[in-house]
Amino acid sequence: MKKLSILLLGIFYLTFPTLAQNGNWNVNVNDYQYTMSLTAFIAVDGEVLQSTEDKVAVFNGSTCRGVTNLIYVEAIDKYLAYLTIYSNSNNEELSFKIYKSNEDKEVEVQETITFAIDEHYGDVFQSYSIAEPQLSTSVELEIESFNNVEILDSYQIEDSLFYVVDFDADLTNLYPNFSMSEGASMYQDRVQMNDSSVGINFTDSMVVDVMSEDQSTMKTYTIFVDNRFANDQTEIIYFAVDGIILDSSIDDERVWLLLPFGTQISDVTVDYEISENAYLYYQDSLINSGQKLNLTLGDTLKVISENLANEQSYVLDIEFNGLGDGVEAQATNVITPNNDGYNDYWIVNEIDRLSEAKFQIYTINGTILYESIGYDNTWNGYYKGQPLPVGNYYYQITNNATGEFFSGEILIVY
């Protein structure tokens, strides 16, 4: 009898590791009042699992809070986990375990998730990633070559990719070889793309989306391809804000606009005309005529020629028509009140002609920090004897006789 007991005990210890690795997880849903859910894919050592015997579970310590097998989704030819997670409190930190059936092993996932009541992450197109180790979040894209045409020049501005080919290249039939971040995938209208075995028409720009390996990040790229001897002009012919201009001039380095007093230059519609088929950028982002922008004085407008060979930068200079009676109020928009003798005070020009005007400085919430009739250029960023915090503040100068006003921003830095 003793020998039989020893034999049975030996068999138990030999089989215990296998039994412990079978993903036999359960959750008592009646113990919890809240749920969240995931539509996820599962990966182990870079391999996306594709068996309905594979499982994923979520835990708080050793307590299982949700478990499910993979399900095959025929419409997209993928295996996904539809995982419901249970908890009694928000913001609970939870961990994952994966059961890989073909190796009969459990894998602990280092990445955790924070419980959020009624939240749902992931969908069948862009699923949540449960992976060990974690997958890449990178979404870089470039065209390495065209099978049938040499790339003569290329560069990137923000999310726009530019390529130059020879003057006689047929842009209607190019075969691009794309290079992407490891594990990333590329889509056009949610249809996955690979290196093209069919020619692509690049006479117009091409818009594609790149999704990271872990499917957490999606980035949209616009691809331009032009011939070397296409238009090389880089001229701004016309530029307006909300269609209103009192006066303007454009030279090789500056776009100057004179706008009515009180005109705001944030959330405004810009209208422009530039060289044919060229591209206009503001703050390094491609813009279109009729687009709304937040303009900043002194920023740069850049025109890039159709063949990408030339570019021209213009400084955006905007002035306002003042407060009537020929007075053009201009004020500094940055002060550094540190008593070093430079920019310690807010300065307004033509101050002697504004002795009857009302000056107000206030916070974004409308709290008046300074108010006077007339001004002597001595406000130094203090309120009630204390220096104001770094940040943006606002001013308005009002001609009490006409009601006309001029306003702007003051940035305080130290």
Side-chain angles (χ1 to χ4, degrees), residues 180-237:
M180 290 176 285
S181 302
E182 181 179 0
S185 51
M186 181 172 61
Y187 298 83
Q188 189 173 46
D189 298 326
R190 289 208 167 189
V191 176
Q192 188 167 357
M193 300 177 62
N194 298 303
D195 285 356
S196 180
S197 58
V198 177
I200 296 177
N201 186 345
F202 278 100
T203 54
D204 293 321
S205 60
M206 178 182 182
V207 178
V208 297
D209 296 310
V210 177
M211 183 158 51
S212 62
E213 183 182 33
D214 73 345
Q215 300 188 18
S216 67
T217 306
M218 181 86 77
K219 187 173 182 179
T220 300
Y221 288 91
T222 304
I223 303 172
F224 301 87
V225 181
D226 281 298
N227 296 106
R228 168 64 78 186
F229 294 107
N231 178 38
D232 63 355
Q233 300 301 304
T234 55
E235 181 183 6
I236 294 180
I237 301 167

Side-chain angles (χ1 to χ4, degrees), residues 325-380:
D325 299 326
V327 178
E328 293 186 7
Q330 294 181 345
T332 53
N333 57 10
V334 177
I335 63 172
T336 57
N338 52 13
N339 296 317
D340 65 353
Y342 298 96
N343 302 316
D344 289 328
Y345 303 99
W346 179 54
I347 303 298
V348 181
N349 75 339
E350 301 262 22
I351 200 66
D352 56 324
R353 301 179 63 184
L354 298 171
S355 60
E356 301 301 320
K358 180 167 70 174
F359 291 77
Q360 293 175 307
I361 300 172
Y362 50 93
T363 68
I364 192 172
N365 297 319
T367 301
I368 300 295
L369 305 173
Y370 175 89
E371 187 171 29
S372 69
I373 301 298
Y375 178 62
D376 59 2
N377 284 337
T378 59
W379 188 71
N380 61 352

Side-chain angles (χ1 to χ4, degrees), residues 22 29 45 58 78 85 88 92 113 133 139 149 153 159 168 191 196 254 260 268 283 289 296 344 347 377 386 388:
N22 64 4
V29 300
D45 296 328
V58 63
K78 289 182 180 179
I85 303 172
N88 287 321
E92 193 172 35
I113 190 170
V139 287
V149 170
D153 196 7
D159 302 334
D168 59 352
V191 176
S196 180
R254 184 180 75 146
V268 293
Q283 295 181 338
S289 191
T296 303
D344 289 328
I347 303 298
N377 284 337
Q386 298 296 321
L388 291 166

Side-chain angles (χ1 to χ4, degrees), residues 382-399:
Y382 276 62
Y383 177 60
K384 293 184 177 180
Q386 298 296 321
L388 291 166
V390 169
N392 286 309
Y393 299 88
Y394 304 86
Y395 68 84
Q396 180 168 301
I397 307 170
T398 305
N399 185 331

